[in-house]
mmCIF file of all heavy atoms in Angstrom:
data_model
loop_
_atom_site.group_PDB
_atom_site.id
_atom_site.type_symbol
_atom_site.label_atom_id
_atom_site.label_comp_id
_atom_site.label_asym_id
_atom_site.label_seq_id
_atom_site.Cartn_x
_atom_site.Cartn_y
_atom_site.Cartn_z
ATOM 1 N N LEU M 294 -12.179 -38.135 -23.749
ATOM 2 C CA LEU M 294 -12.513 -37.349 -24.936
ATOM 3 C C LEU M 294 -11.275 -36.638 -25.473
ATOM 4 O O LEU M 294 -11.225 -36.291 -26.650
ATOM 5 C CB LEU M 294 -13.591 -36.310 -24.611
ATOM 6 C CG LEU M 294 -14.935 -36.854 -24.117
ATOM 7 C CD1 LEU M 294 -15.830 -35.717 -23.674
ATOM 8 C CD2 LEU M 294 -15.583 -37.706 -25.182
ATOM 9 N N LEU M 295 -10.321 -36.394 -24.597
ATOM 10 C CA LEU M 295 -9.089 -35.674 -24.948
ATOM 11 C C LEU M 295 -7.886 -36.519 -24.577
ATOM 12 O O LEU M 295 -7.837 -37.086 -23.490
ATOM 13 C CB LEU M 295 -8.996 -34.369 -24.146
ATOM 14 C CG LEU M 295 -9.537 -33.098 -24.740
ATOM 15 C CD1 LEU M 295 -9.443 -31.971 -23.727
ATOM 16 C CD2 LEU M 295 -8.861 -32.710 -26.020
ATOM 17 N N ALA M 296 -6.913 -36.542 -25.475
ATOM 18 C CA ALA M 296 -5.672 -37.262 -25.173
ATOM 19 C C ALA M 296 -4.595 -36.306 -24.674
ATOM 20 O O ALA M 296 -3.684 -36.706 -23.948
ATOM 21 C CB ALA M 296 -5.176 -37.992 -26.414
ATOM 22 N N THR M 297 -4.678 -35.048 -25.059
ATOM 23 C CA THR M 297 -3.675 -34.057 -24.650
ATOM 24 C C THR M 297 -4.335 -32.950 -23.852
ATOM 25 O O THR M 297 -5.566 -32.871 -23.784
ATOM 26 C CB THR M 297 -2.976 -33.439 -25.878
ATOM 27 O OG1 THR M 297 -3.958 -32.737 -26.649
ATOM 28 C CG2 THR M 297 -2.283 -34.493 -26.717
ATOM 29 N N ASN M 298 -3.530 -32.080 -23.300
ATOM 30 C CA ASN M 298 -4.031 -30.970 -22.505
ATOM 31 C C ASN M 298 -3.835 -29.666 -23.275
ATOM 32 O O ASN M 298 -2.737 -29.111 -23.266
ATOM 33 C CB ASN M 298 -3.298 -30.915 -21.164
ATOM 34 C CG ASN M 298 -3.795 -29.793 -20.282
ATOM 35 O OD1 ASN M 298 -4.656 -29.011 -20.670
ATOM 36 N ND2 ASN M 298 -3.247 -29.718 -19.088
ATOM 37 N N PRO M 299 -4.893 -29.124 -23.891
ATOM 38 C CA PRO M 299 -4.755 -27.885 -24.641
ATOM 39 C C PRO M 299 -4.461 -26.664 -23.761
ATOM 40 O O PRO M 299 -4.027 -25.634 -24.256
ATOM 41 C CB PRO M 299 -6.109 -27.721 -25.331
ATOM 42 C CG PRO M 299 -6.782 -29.029 -25.225
ATOM 43 C CD PRO M 299 -6.201 -29.719 -24.043
ATOM 44 N N ALA M 300 -4.653 -26.779 -22.470
ATOM 45 C CA ALA M 300 -4.405 -25.662 -21.561
ATOM 46 C C ALA M 300 -2.974 -25.645 -21.045
ATOM 47 O O ALA M 300 -2.604 -24.778 -20.251
ATOM 48 C CB ALA M 300 -5.376 -25.714 -20.394
ATOM 49 N N ARG M 301 -2.150 -26.558 -21.510
ATOM 50 C CA ARG M 301 -0.808 -26.725 -20.937
ATOM 51 C C ARG M 301 0.093 -25.507 -21.106
ATOM 52 O O ARG M 301 1.018 -25.318 -20.337
ATOM 53 C CB ARG M 301 -0.144 -27.970 -21.508
ATOM 54 C CG ARG M 301 0.199 -27.892 -22.979
ATOM 55 C CD ARG M 301 0.773 -29.214 -23.511
ATOM 56 N NE ARG M 301 0.988 -29.189 -24.933
ATOM 57 C CZ ARG M 301 0.105 -29.556 -25.846
ATOM 58 N NH1 ARG M 301 -1.079 -29.997 -25.453
ATOM 59 N NH2 ARG M 301 0.382 -29.500 -27.121
ATOM 60 N N ARG M 302 -0.144 -24.677 -22.097
ATOM 61 C CA ARG M 302 0.717 -23.500 -22.326
ATOM 62 C C ARG M 302 0.236 -22.256 -21.588
ATOM 63 O O ARG M 302 0.950 -21.260 -21.548
ATOM 64 C CB ARG M 302 0.791 -23.196 -23.820
ATOM 65 C CG ARG M 302 1.467 -24.265 -24.617
ATOM 66 C CD ARG M 302 1.575 -23.863 -26.065
ATOM 67 N NE ARG M 302 2.000 -24.991 -26.880
ATOM 68 C CZ ARG M 302 1.843 -25.034 -28.184
ATOM 69 N NH1 ARG M 302 1.286 -24.028 -28.819
ATOM 70 N NH2 ARG M 302 2.252 -26.089 -28.858
ATOM 71 N N LEU M 303 -0.953 -22.307 -21.060
ATOM 72 C CA LEU M 303 -1.509 -21.137 -20.371
ATOM 73 C C LEU M 303 -1.124 -21.186 -18.900
ATOM 74 O O LEU M 303 -1.177 -22.234 -18.268
ATOM 75 C CB LEU M 303 -3.032 -21.122 -20.517
ATOM 76 C CG LEU M 303 -3.538 -21.000 -21.959
ATOM 77 C CD1 LEU M 303 -5.038 -21.239 -21.998
ATOM 78 C CD2 LEU M 303 -3.185 -19.653 -22.533
ATOM 79 N N GLU M 304 -0.758 -20.036 -18.370
ATOM 80 C CA GLU M 304 -0.330 -19.976 -16.967
ATOM 81 C C GLU M 304 -1.225 -19.052 -16.169
ATOM 82 O O GLU M 304 -1.713 -18.044 -16.679
ATOM 83 C CB GLU M 304 1.114 -19.469 -16.886
ATOM 84 C CG GLU M 304 2.118 -20.426 -17.479
ATOM 85 C CD GLU M 304 3.549 -19.908 -17.347
ATOM 86 O OE1 GLU M 304 3.744 -18.806 -16.772
ATOM 87 O OE2 GLU M 304 4.455 -20.609 -17.804
ATOM 88 N N ARG M 305 -1.384 -19.423 -14.921
ATOM 89 C CA ARG M 305 -2.122 -18.556 -13.999
ATOM 90 C C ARG M 305 -1.319 -17.285 -13.763
ATOM 91 O O ARG M 305 -0.102 -17.294 -13.823
ATOM 92 C CB ARG M 305 -2.367 -19.269 -12.672
ATOM 93 C CG ARG M 305 -3.296 -20.463 -12.804
ATOM 94 C CD ARG M 305 -3.529 -21.143 -11.472
ATOM 95 N NE ARG M 305 -4.145 -20.272 -10.488
ATOM 96 C CZ ARG M 305 -5.446 -20.020 -10.403
ATOM 97 N NH1 ARG M 305 -6.268 -20.564 -11.255
ATOM 98 N NH2 ARG M 305 -5.915 -19.233 -9.466
ATOM 99 N N ARG M 306 -2.021 -16.220 -13.483
ATOM 100 C CA ARG M 306 -1.360 -14.948 -13.183
ATOM 101 C C ARG M 306 -1.319 -14.755 -11.674
ATOM 102 O O ARG M 306 -2.227 -15.156 -10.955
ATOM 103 C CB ARG M 306 -2.115 -13.793 -13.828
ATOM 104 C CG ARG M 306 -2.048 -13.805 -15.322
ATOM 105 C CD ARG M 306 -2.780 -12.603 -15.879
ATOM 106 N NE ARG M 306 -2.727 -12.591 -17.328
ATOM 107 C CZ ARG M 306 -3.438 -11.769 -18.075
ATOM 108 N NH1 ARG M 306 -4.259 -10.893 -17.510
ATOM 109 N NH2 ARG M 306 -3.338 -11.817 -19.382
ATOM 110 N N LYS M 307 -0.271 -14.082 -11.240
ATOM 111 C CA LYS M 307 -0.178 -13.749 -9.819
ATOM 112 C C LYS M 307 -1.070 -12.549 -9.552
ATOM 113 O O LYS M 307 -1.000 -11.554 -10.268
ATOM 114 C CB LYS M 307 1.261 -13.405 -9.434
ATOM 115 C CG LYS M 307 2.179 -14.590 -9.444
ATOM 116 C CD LYS M 307 3.548 -14.208 -8.954
ATOM 117 C CE LYS M 307 4.470 -15.415 -8.953
ATOM 118 N NZ LYS M 307 5.800 -15.073 -8.498
ATOM 119 N N PRO M 308 -1.904 -12.644 -8.514
ATOM 120 C CA PRO M 308 -2.757 -11.493 -8.200
ATOM 121 C C PRO M 308 -1.904 -10.319 -7.739
ATOM 122 O O PRO M 308 -0.891 -10.495 -7.061
ATOM 123 C CB PRO M 308 -3.668 -11.994 -7.085
ATOM 124 C CG PRO M 308 -3.109 -13.284 -6.631
ATOM 125 C CD PRO M 308 -2.132 -13.771 -7.649
ATOM 126 N N GLY M 309 -2.316 -9.135 -8.114
ATOM 127 C CA GLY M 309 -1.591 -7.929 -7.710
ATOM 128 C C GLY M 309 -1.704 -7.706 -6.215
ATOM 129 O O GLY M 309 -2.657 -8.143 -5.569
ATOM 130 N N ARG M 310 -0.711 -7.044 -5.691
ATOM 131 C CA ARG M 310 -0.747 -6.735 -4.264
ATOM 132 C C ARG M 310 -1.788 -5.672 -4.006
ATOM 133 O O ARG M 310 -1.975 -4.761 -4.791
ATOM 134 C CB ARG M 310 0.617 -6.238 -3.807
ATOM 135 C CG ARG M 310 1.666 -7.326 -3.851
ATOM 136 C CD ARG M 310 2.982 -6.832 -3.336
ATOM 137 N NE ARG M 310 2.814 -6.349 -1.966
ATOM 138 C CZ ARG M 310 3.706 -5.623 -1.327
ATOM 139 N NH1 ARG M 310 4.825 -5.289 -1.917
ATOM 140 N NH2 ARG M 310 3.495 -5.220 -0.101
ATOM 141 N N ARG M 311 -2.448 -5.826 -2.903
ATOM 142 C CA ARG M 311 -3.420 -4.810 -2.520
ATOM 143 C C ARG M 311 -2.659 -3.559 -2.118
ATOM 144 O O ARG M 311 -1.576 -3.626 -1.563
ATOM 145 C CB ARG M 311 -4.259 -5.303 -1.362
ATOM 146 C CG ARG M 311 -5.101 -6.512 -1.764
ATOM 147 C CD ARG M 311 -5.955 -6.952 -0.656
ATOM 148 N NE ARG M 311 -7.170 -6.156 -0.719
ATOM 149 C CZ ARG M 311 -8.132 -6.227 0.184
ATOM 150 N NH1 ARG M 311 -8.010 -7.026 1.199
ATOM 151 N NH2 ARG M 311 -9.203 -5.496 0.076
ATOM 152 N N GLY M 312 -3.230 -2.434 -2.404
ATOM 153 C CA GLY M 312 -2.592 -1.167 -2.096
ATOM 154 C C GLY M 312 -2.362 -0.990 -0.610
ATOM 155 O O GLY M 312 -2.908 -1.718 0.221
ATOM 156 N N ASP M 313 -1.544 -0.030 -0.277
ATOM 157 C CA ASP M 313 -1.268 0.272 1.119
ATOM 158 C C ASP M 313 -2.562 0.747 1.763
ATOM 159 O O ASP M 313 -3.176 1.714 1.314
ATOM 160 C CB ASP M 313 -0.195 1.362 1.202
ATOM 161 C CG ASP M 313 0.241 1.628 2.622
ATOM 162 O OD1 ASP M 313 -0.127 0.847 3.513
ATOM 163 O OD2 ASP M 313 0.961 2.615 2.825
ATOM 164 N N ARG M 314 -2.979 0.061 2.795
ATOM 165 C CA ARG M 314 -4.232 0.407 3.452
ATOM 166 C C ARG M 314 -4.006 1.266 4.687
ATOM 167 O O ARG M 314 -4.923 1.489 5.463
ATOM 168 C CB ARG M 314 -4.989 -0.862 3.798
ATOM 169 C CG ARG M 314 -5.358 -1.604 2.528
ATOM 170 C CD ARG M 314 -6.102 -2.875 2.703
ATOM 171 N NE ARG M 314 -6.468 -3.277 4.042
ATOM 172 C CZ ARG M 314 -7.032 -4.414 4.332
ATOM 173 N NH1 ARG M 314 -7.285 -5.259 3.390
ATOM 174 N NH2 ARG M 314 -7.336 -4.728 5.569
ATOM 175 N N ALA M 315 -2.808 1.761 4.867
ATOM 176 C CA ALA M 315 -2.510 2.611 6.023
ATOM 177 C C ALA M 315 -3.160 3.978 5.828
ATOM 178 O O ALA M 315 -3.286 4.480 4.718
ATOM 179 C CB ALA M 315 -1.008 2.770 6.178
ATOM 180 N N ILE M 316 -3.567 4.567 6.940
ATOM 181 C CA ILE M 316 -4.136 5.908 6.899
ATOM 182 C C ILE M 316 -2.981 6.888 6.725
ATOM 183 O O ILE M 316 -1.977 6.800 7.438
ATOM 184 C CB ILE M 316 -4.918 6.201 8.199
ATOM 185 C CG1 ILE M 316 -6.045 5.174 8.363
ATOM 186 C CG2 ILE M 316 -5.469 7.619 8.191
ATOM 187 C CD1 ILE M 316 -6.729 5.218 9.709
ATOM 188 N N PRO M 317 -3.101 7.832 5.784
ATOM 189 C CA PRO M 317 -2.005 8.791 5.581
ATOM 190 C C PRO M 317 -1.681 9.562 6.866
ATOM 191 O O PRO M 317 -2.576 9.888 7.664
ATOM 192 C CB PRO M 317 -2.545 9.741 4.512
ATOM 193 C CG PRO M 317 -3.649 8.998 3.846
ATOM 194 C CD PRO M 317 -4.199 8.053 4.866
ATOM 195 N N ARG M 318 -0.399 9.837 7.065
ATOM 196 C CA ARG M 318 0.077 10.493 8.294
ATOM 197 C C ARG M 318 -0.619 11.835 8.528
ATOM 198 O O ARG M 318 -0.976 12.169 9.661
ATOM 199 C CB ARG M 318 1.602 10.669 8.206
ATOM 200 C CG ARG M 318 2.216 11.186 9.467
ATOM 201 C CD ARG M 318 2.212 10.099 10.510
ATOM 202 N NE ARG M 318 2.792 10.600 11.744
ATOM 203 C CZ ARG M 318 2.566 10.072 12.919
ATOM 204 N NH1 ARG M 318 1.801 9.019 13.029
ATOM 205 N NH2 ARG M 318 3.108 10.563 13.985
ATOM 206 N N ALA M 319 -0.832 12.624 7.474
ATOM 207 C CA ALA M 319 -1.485 13.928 7.622
ATOM 208 C C ALA M 319 -2.911 13.761 8.158
ATOM 209 O O ALA M 319 -3.362 14.538 9.011
ATOM 210 C CB ALA M 319 -1.507 14.660 6.289
ATOM 211 N N ARG M 320 -3.616 12.758 7.692
ATOM 212 C CA ARG M 320 -4.987 12.504 8.163
ATOM 213 C C ARG M 320 -4.973 12.080 9.628
ATOM 214 O O ARG M 320 -5.820 12.493 10.410
ATOM 215 C CB ARG M 320 -5.626 11.421 7.294
ATOM 216 C CG ARG M 320 -6.970 10.947 7.761
ATOM 217 C CD ARG M 320 -8.053 12.003 7.551
ATOM 218 N NE ARG M 320 -9.321 11.513 8.046
ATOM 219 C CZ ARG M 320 -10.002 12.068 9.036
ATOM 220 N NH1 ARG M 320 -9.568 13.170 9.606
ATOM 221 N NH2 ARG M 320 -11.127 11.555 9.430
ATOM 222 N N LEU M 321 -3.985 11.271 10.017
ATOM 223 C CA LEU M 321 -3.874 10.867 11.419
ATOM 224 C C LEU M 321 -3.614 12.071 12.317
ATOM 225 O O LEU M 321 -4.226 12.202 13.380
ATOM 226 C CB LEU M 321 -2.751 9.840 11.593
ATOM 227 C CG LEU M 321 -3.038 8.436 11.079
ATOM 228 C CD1 LEU M 321 -1.786 7.579 11.187
ATOM 229 C CD2 LEU M 321 -4.182 7.804 11.851
#
């Protein structure tokens, strides 16, 4: 049905890094 790829210019995004999951030192 299609001869070309209309999605060719769109790029996937890199997922953001998850935040620091360490317990804060004061709480420890």
Side-chain angles (χ1 to χ4, degrees):
L294 299 173
L295 267 175
T297 63
N298 181 357
R301 68 184 175 269
R302 295 183 191 162
L303 298 170
E304 293 182 1
R305 294 180 61 82
R306 292 182 180 170
K307 290 184 179 179
R310 292 183 58 194
R311 296 182 86 184
D313 186 11
R314 297 180 3 185
I316 301 170
R318 187 73 181 158
R320 173 71 181 118
L321 286 174

